[in-house]
Amino acid sequence: MTPVLIDGKEVAASVRARLSGEIEELKKQGKTPGLAVVLVGEDPASQVYVASKVKACAELGLYSQKWALPADTTQQELVELIHKLNADDRIHGILVQSPPPPHIDEEAVILNIDPRKDVDGFHPANVAKLVLEDESGFVPCTPMGCMELLKAYGIETAGKHAVVIGRSMIVGKPMANLLVAKNANATVTIAHSRTQNLPELCRSADIIVAAVGRPEMVTADYVKEGAVVLDVGINRIADASRPRGYRIVGDVNFEAVKEKCSYITPVPGGVGPMTISMLMANTVKACRQQLV
Ligand code: GUN
């Protein structure tokens, strides 16, 4: 079977085109959506992600602030910054890049973000809204991007069996909630490191969402003929033949799996580009909600 390659770059660009109209409208009303991105420490991958988020804001004409704090920033200093950003009228969305250094209690930090500015959808108030299917809340950007890809390619979810591999609060759990919601109607299994017979379980899936952070773990053995495979993984693996000394691979062994599935996201160029477009969408939504 020759699969359809899901083009995340193209879908992400069409989301941004739609957003730019909305941003123009907001600007006519004297409001420019604003995002604050906070990075603690010098993790190289996080530095790249944060730079991409700030660049996307500039390209769309959004106001942004980048806060790059030293690795020894205390919990209290970080929380004080969050409170300052909560009170700043130019800022409609606040994002603290994950993971922070180990001495920072991430959950406690998130509790300090005003839920109306929580464009990551990590605050318990927004987690509850997702579970309650209350669309006024914010949904984490990566799973929201996955749903947007399914929609863009007309992939049916109703009545389908979706297996989500991974139970993180950033991807796995919100992804499962989105798929089981009444506007998607999938039957969902969440798999994790203690799941037994994972390949066999995955072979019963019409849709597989791989979000475990283990390079190329999903092999052909996991995939039923004709399944849809979304690969959320972004893993750096050593590769001396590359100028940087590494290359990026997903959680799916693309070459082995592509022969069996109907649709598949490549890495890079699949789910990745969607995450930032969804962040922009959440920032615009936050701005609109804060107008009233
Ligand atoms: N680290 C990896 N993905 C994300 C994300 O979507 N939001 C934040 N804040 N940190 C991340």
Side-chain angles (χ1 to χ4, degrees), residues 147-163:
M147 294 307 288
E148 200 69 29
L149 289 176
L150 293 173
K151 200 162 80 185
Y153 281 81
I155 296 167
E156 182 63 85
T157 52
K160 303 294 182 189
H161 182 208
V163 173

Side-chain angles (χ1 to χ4, degrees), residues 130-131 133 139 143-144 146-147 162-191 209 211:
L130 171 58
V131 177
E133 302 184 32
V139 175
M144 198 175 154
C146 290
M147 294 307 288
V163 173
V164 178
I165 315 174
R167 56 178 156 184
S168 72
M169 291 305 293
I170 299 189
V171 185
K173 284 188 187 136
M175 186 75 225
N177 277 297
L178 288 168
L179 285 163
V180 82
K182 289 188 198 75
N183 60 9
N185 283 312
T187 302
V188 183
T189 304
I190 307 179
V209 182

Side-chain angles (χ1 to χ4, degrees), residues 49 53 95-99 120 122 141-142 170 275:
Y49 298 141
K53 289 166 185 177
L95 177 147
V96 180
Q97 186 65 27
S98 181
D120 259 329
F122 293 169
C141 300
T142 301
I170 299 189
T275 298

